[in-house]
Amino acid sequence: MELLDLLTSHVRIDAVRAKALKKLGIVTVRDLLYHFPASYEAAGSIHALASVKEGEDVIVYGRLTGLAARKAWTTKKTIAEGWIEDGTARIKIMWFNQPYLAKMLRDGMVVKLVGKVAGKGDKIYIANPEVQETNAVKEGGDSLFQERAQDETIYPIYPESKGVTSKWIFHILKKWFDAGLLNDINDPIPEDIRKKYSLPHLAQALRDIHQPTQEKRYQVAQKRFAFEEVFAIQTRHAQERAAISAADCYQFATDAEHIKKFVDRFPFPLTGAQTRALESIFGDFNGMSAMSRLLEGDVGSGKTAVAATTAYAVCTSRPDATKDWGNLQVAYMAPTEILAKQHFESFIEYFKHLPIQIGLITGSGCQKFPSKVDPTKPTSISKAQLLKWVENGEIPILIGTHALVYKKVQFKHLGQVIIDEQHRFGVKQRKALTQKGAPMPHLLSMTATPIPRTLSLTMYGDLDLTLLDEMPPGRKPTITKYIGKDDEEKMYEHVCSELKTGRQAYVICPRIDEPDPEKETAVEMKSVIAEAERLRTGPLREWRIGIMHGKMTPAEKDEVMADFNAHRLDVLVATSVVEVGVNVPNATNIIIEGAERFGLSQLHQLRGRVIRGTHQPYCFVSTTSKAANTAIRLKAFVATNDGFALAEHDLEFRGAGELYGRNQSGLSDLGMTALKNLKLVEAARTEAKNLVAKDPELKKYPTLAERLTHLGELHME
Ligand code: ADP
Ligand code: MG
């Protein structure tokens, strides 16, 4: 049996199941083997109904009967009730206040219940259990409980899916394992590395993760597969790194005096961190291979000024003075139109005294600075015209959204690519942009999202890291307050007093978790509009209130942003999607409604909106949630202004999956849990680097090379 064999060549699969398997992405033997259990159940925790006792936490399997809903005559609350029977006994089930449950469940349905036994003596019942329909019993007709109870092993529970049950997978794999079909399988992790870290061989690990005989066994296997994934990712990073090192690049020295002239025009001196970042970057420009650097700095740490200075260095450099081919160009990509526009405006300020033209390209149009008519202003131009000037090199700096990636955008000598809020883009977009230049352009990625070290090593293992760990002077640390229902009045009083002294405020409305993205924006829009209305007629009635949400056109958003920027609006009510990186220094108050819905890192991003100026900033996290962990998380948020600490806290309490998008990240669930283990990630990285240094093309490691083809695209959002 080979990993890449089609499943159908080893198992008979009917049409219904084939469809279900396809939905799960399971086509080959390998796909099934790497479809790991989501959890395990020890046979001991499964109870026959006859043995269920009061006060116990139980898992029971059985058939539902006698379902009905009624209203309690004392409290008028709905009670849904029924019975579950499994051939050994039957027992009552009750759900309080969940009328919809009665509608979802049907008599005769076979389910798994997880809950606590309440009541006394022969009047025991299971209250508010979790219910899951299981197909397993229906198929075989036999009682799942009986089969499981006889078995001493630990039961794997696979991610739920209709048509592909845990039981089905269990039996197929059992056959394969028992027949020894997988004994000779090749392991992508080289033997010496496996030995060094005491990791089991792939064949053993597969057996232990799918059909463990002890808890310890699947834990070891899980660790091994987590290592395997991170190791494969790191190997890919190391290879990418090697490719960058091998590629031709523009190499040039940067003159300190020349740079000083540019920087001296800034209305502020650079911070030490900004200066150090520039030194590293200039060092890269003068290095033998193209730069590949991530600049990570908290919101407001001044990344744009760094970006502008590097852009200046690039487009005033001539790597090869013997040829008269004009100047190098810079492409600067931002995740949203608002941000791209804002950078365009900042760059105009930084470059207006120089004969360096700047272009802007977004989905809704193109601009160029300076205008021929009025050289102090930008002007709108056609896309065709802009692209022509970029292609012939006349426009050295082009700023834009992902519109920059389009095939038609061609540069003459692309020397540097700058990507703002780089975690919002995939590796593919990053590559598409850097591939517009040959030799390879220098890459400066920037992010304001402080991420735990394990995650940055995993996601950005191929980038060098520079931290902008110093705020411009005069910034006051934000005062953050936890606002419960009773504190609202005081909060609005405070915000009004701030508005009176001439400051501005944001009010952020929560994202509503709706599976349908279309619907989601609709709901968000509603919450923004409703909240703005409430504030207009209520606590903030004396102030000019604007709104911004995802359903507005870019032009509408621009207008609102311009109004808020120019202080024609006092308050901006917006969703959280609007906007990372928006810069209005006079806005020093932010109210975050439904704060429990946000991750700590996200809250921190939002709080970053108000630390742009020198006035005292305030952040109010408002919640009506009474959940205990909400309080713990929000207290952590109130207690610190350290974004990295919050990111680590988030990783600890919410898990990487929830934080960075389980599906989009390209990491498996096991890979995600590995992110909690710095030692594992560092070990995998070291080994991968060493291995690639010895054998960049993995000629001696074909199984590992093959393993790399199964990695997803890493992406954060
Ligand atoms: P971010 O790192 O979030 O992108 P920005 O580049 O937008 O931050 O800078 C935030 C604000 O700080 C801007 O108004 C910018 O002009 C200002 N700023 C940048 N560097 C300094 C500095 N060294 N001293 C004072 N203010 C600065
Ligand atoms: Mg920024």
Side-chain angles (χ1 to χ4, degrees):
M1 174 177 283
E2 299 291 329
L3 285 185
L4 295 186
D5 289 353
L6 289 179
L7 203 52
T8 46
S9 58
H10 296 280
V11 189
R12 263 220 325 240
I13 292 171
D14 63 25
V16 177
R17 191 163 277 147
K19 211 169 151 195
L21 283 166
K22 205 170 152 205
K23 233 180 168 173
L24 288 169
I26 299 174
V27 180
T28 63
V29 166
R30 180 189 190 281
D31 296 335
L32 187 64
L33 289 171
Y34 276 77
H35 182 66
F36 297 143
S39 61
Y40 299 85
E41 248 164 36
S45 58
I46 303 174
H47 285 66
L49 284 171
S51 69
V52 158
K53 292 191 192 60
E54 59 184 88
E56 273 180 332
D57 288 310
V58 293
I59 300 170
V60 294
Y61 286 83
R63 206 172 292 280
L64 293 175
T65 59
L67 290 170
R70 63 183 168 89
K71 278 223 160 54
W73 58 272
T74 43
T75 57
K76 293 273 181 297
K77 287 187 173 147
T78 11
I79 298 175
E81 56 185 6
W83 298 86
I84 180 165
E85 52 183 53
D86 72 347
T88 70
R90 69 174 204 163
I91 186 169
K92 184 141 205 178
I93 344 163
M94 290 204 250
W95 293 275
F96 302 101
N97 277 325
Q98 302 183 53
Y100 53 91
L101 262 179
K103 287 200 192 97
M104 274 165 48
L105 303 173
R106 279 173 283 103
D107 278 354
M109 194 182 253
V110 176
V111 296
K112 168 186 163 188
L113 293 187
V114 182
K116 200 177 189 81
V117 184
K120 273 215 172 354
D122 58 355
K123 286 240 156 56
I124 55 170
Y125 60 95
I126 305 177
N128 294 319
E130 273 178 51
V131 200
Q132 232 177 57
E133 184 174 15
T134 87
N135 303 317
V137 185
K138 254 190 255 162
E139 286 170 15
D142 52 347
S143 156
L144 184 71
F145 163 71
Q146 275 161 13
E147 184 184 325
R148 289 194 170 188
Q150 285 156 12
D151 209 319
E152 281 307 306
T153 54
I154 297 166
Y155 257 88
I157 310 293
Y158 292 90
E160 271 307 300
S161 157
K162 264 217 160 68
V164 184
T165 60
S166 294
K167 188 176 160 186
W168 184 80
I169 297 177
F170 181 86
H171 285 298
I172 289 187
L173 295 183
K174 187 156 173 27
K175 234 186 262 164
W176 293 355
F177 289 133
D178 289 350
L181 292 183
L182 295 157
N183 291 354
D184 305 328
I185 199 170
N186 288 322
D187 196 325
I189 309 178
E191 196 183 341
D192 53 332
I193 298 178
R194 246 172 21 234
K195 286 237 166 80
K196 187 164 165 190
Y197 299 99
S198 315
L199 302 169
H201 186 279
L202 177 60
Q204 180 66 46
L206 282 171
R207 179 140 209 171
D208 286 346
I209 204 163
H210 288 290
Q211 314 203 329
T213 50
Q214 298 162 359
E215 199 178 322
K216 181 97 185 48
R217 294 217 149 213
Y218 70 72
Q219 287 168 346
V220 170
Q222 283 175 331
K223 191 177 139 205
R224 182 229 128 93
F225 284 110
F227 183 93
E228 176 181 317
E229 183 169 348
V230 177
F231 175 66
I233 290 169
Q234 294 296 345
T235 303
R236 189 164 72 183
H237 284 324
Q239 284 184 310
E240 276 161 5
R241 216 37 227 250
I244 292 172
S245 298
D248 273 348
C249 74
Y250 296 107
Q251 184 185 13
F252 52 88
T254 313
D255 178 54
E257 270 310 303
H258 174 68
I259 296 299
K260 187 169 179 302
K261 267 189 221 138
F262 183 75
V263 171
D264 278 350
R265 283 190 65 263
F266 291 0
F268 45 75
L270 292 180
T271 62
Q274 282 171 320
T275 307
R276 284 191 295 277
L278 285 170
E279 277 163 10
S280 311
I281 292 165
F282 295 155
D284 290 345
F285 287 162
N286 204 18
M288 298 296 288
S289 52
M291 170 167 79
S292 192
R293 189 169 287 280
L294 178 66
L295 182 62
E296 190 167 329
D298 223 336
V299 212
S301 57
K303 293 183 291 294
T304 316
V306 173
T309 312
T310 66
Y312 173 71
V314 171
C315 60
T316 54
S317 289
R318 292 226 178 157
D320 188 348
T322 59
K323 291 192 194 120
D324 182 23
W325 47 259
N327 49 267
L328 290 181
Q329 291 169 293
V330 175
Y332 188 170
M333 181 159 73
T336 65
E337 292 209 18
I338 296 181
L339 274 179
K341 199 98 191 278
Q342 195 175 288
H343 292 326
F344 181 60
E345 281 154 15
S346 305
F347 267 54
I348 290 174
E349 278 307 306
Y350 290 132
F351 285 88
K352 62 185 176 198
H353 61 299
L354 296 164
I356 294 176
Q357 306 203 66
I358 304 170
L360 174 71
I361 179 168
T362 68
S364 55
C366 298
Q367 293 192 39
K368 181 189 81 111
F369 176 87
S371 153
K372 271 203 187 101
V373 188
D374 179 352
T376 65
K377 290 217 167 71
T379 177
S380 289
I381 59 172
S382 75
K383 188 164 155 193
Q385 185 61 68
L386 179 79
L387 293 185
K388 206 179 109 200
W389 282 331
V390 171
E391 189 162 3
N392 70 17
E394 269 180 63
I395 293 187
I397 299 177
L398 183 60
I399 298 172
T401 54
H402 56 265
L404 277 170
V405 174
Y406 294 153
K407 259 203 222 86
K408 286 216 174 116
V409 182
Q410 297 286 341
F411 295 84
K412 193 162 183 212
H413 299 295
L414 182 58
Q416 185 189 19
V417 165
I418 304 174
I419 299 184
D420 195 20
E421 306 295 345
Q422 85 113 29
H423 60 282
R424 306 270 303 259
F425 296 100
V427 177
K428 269 192 200 141
Q429 281 164 307
R430 193 171 92 196
K431 279 204 177 132
L433 195 50
T434 49
Q435 272 159 10
K436 286 181 185 288
M440 183 169 292
H442 296 288
L443 171 69
L444 178 64
S445 282
M446 306 197 293
T447 181
T449 308
I451 54 176
R453 182 164 160 74
T454 49
L455 188 63
S456 84
L457 284 178
T458 305
M459 292 292 189
Y460 316 132
D462 53 336
L463 300 175
D464 291 321
L465 187 66
T466 297
L467 289 183
L468 223 45
D469 50 4
E470 181 184 349
M471 280 288 169
R475 300 276 161 88
K476 300 191 177 67
T478 313
I479 295 176
T480 306
K481 288 231 149 76
Y482 179 98
I483 302 293
K485 206 74 214 111
D486 304 337
D487 317 314
E488 260 187 12
E489 203 171 309
K490 261 202 184 131
M491 168 178 82
Y492 288 120
E493 235 168 64
H494 171 88
V495 170
C496 287
S497 75
E498 283 280 307
L499 296 175
K500 258 184 211 123
T501 63
R503 303 284 81 75
Q504 288 163 280
Y506 297 97
V507 176
I508 304 298
C509 294
R511 284 188 81 146
I512 314 276
D513 293 324
E514 285 273 341
D516 176 1
E518 267 296 302
K519 250 200 223 140
E520 183 171 4
T521 42
V523 175
E524 281 180 4
M525 173 182 75
K526 226 160 83 197
S527 75
V528 166
I529 293 173
E531 178 65 6
E533 208 36 52
R534 190 182 75 82
L535 295 172
R536 266 185 200 127
T537 51
L540 300 179
R541 76 184 80 76
E542 287 162 37
W543 304 98
R544 296 165 297 178
I545 297 176
I547 59 168
M548 185 135 94
H549 55 73
K551 278 267 158 108
M552 288 162 57
T553 66
E556 288 168 338
K557 284 190 206 165
D558 272 358
E559 201 183 315
V560 175
M561 216 49 233
D563 284 345
F564 191 59
N565 222 337
H567 205 164
R568 289 189 290 271
L569 291 171
D570 301 297
V571 179
L572 185 62
V573 183
T575 49
S576 63
V577 278
V578 192
E579 233 7 280
V580 266
V582 164
N583 185 17
V584 180
N586 192 46
T588 54
N589 286 262
I590 186 164
I591 298 174
I592 305 169
E593 295 292 345
E596 75 279 0
R597 292 178 184 273
F598 299 101
L600 294 179
S601 302
Q602 237 181 327
L603 286 174
H604 185 66
Q605 284 275 333
L606 290 169
R607 175 163 63 183
R609 291 310 65 116
V610 293
I611 48 171
R612 293 306 173 108
T614 46
H615 297 290
Q616 175 61 54
Y618 296 92
C619 172
F620 302 94
V621 282
S622 170
T623 180
T624 49
S625 159
K626 296 236 157 42
N629 68 342
T630 298
I632 295 175
R633 287 180 44 238
L634 293 183
K635 270 187 194 139
F637 180 68
V638 169
T640 180
N641 274 314
D642 178 347
F644 283 96
L646 290 172
E648 298 283 355
H649 199 286
D650 247 352
L651 183 62
E652 186 87 357
F653 283 84
R654 304 217 314 170
E658 229 176 299
L659 257 187
Y660 304 109
R662 191 173 294 276
N663 297 324
Q664 293 103 317
S665 72
L667 278 172
S668 73
D669 288 2
L670 274 185
M672 283 284 184
T673 53
L675 297 180
K676 291 191 180 181
N677 188 341
L678 180 61
K679 270 203 193 127
L680 183 152
V681 173
E682 280 182 334
R685 177 172 153 92
T686 310
E687 298 305 334
K689 268 182 159 172
N690 293 343
L691 189 127
V692 170
K694 277 187 296 190
D695 184 358
E697 283 161 55
L698 306 181
K699 286 208 176 96
K700 279 193 236 120
Y701 303 94
T703 317
L704 175 57
E706 205 279 324
R707 176 67 179 84
L708 301 196
T709 63
H710 299 286
L711 288 173
E713 195 209 343
L714 297 176
H715 185 34
M716 263 174 63
E717 226 233 301

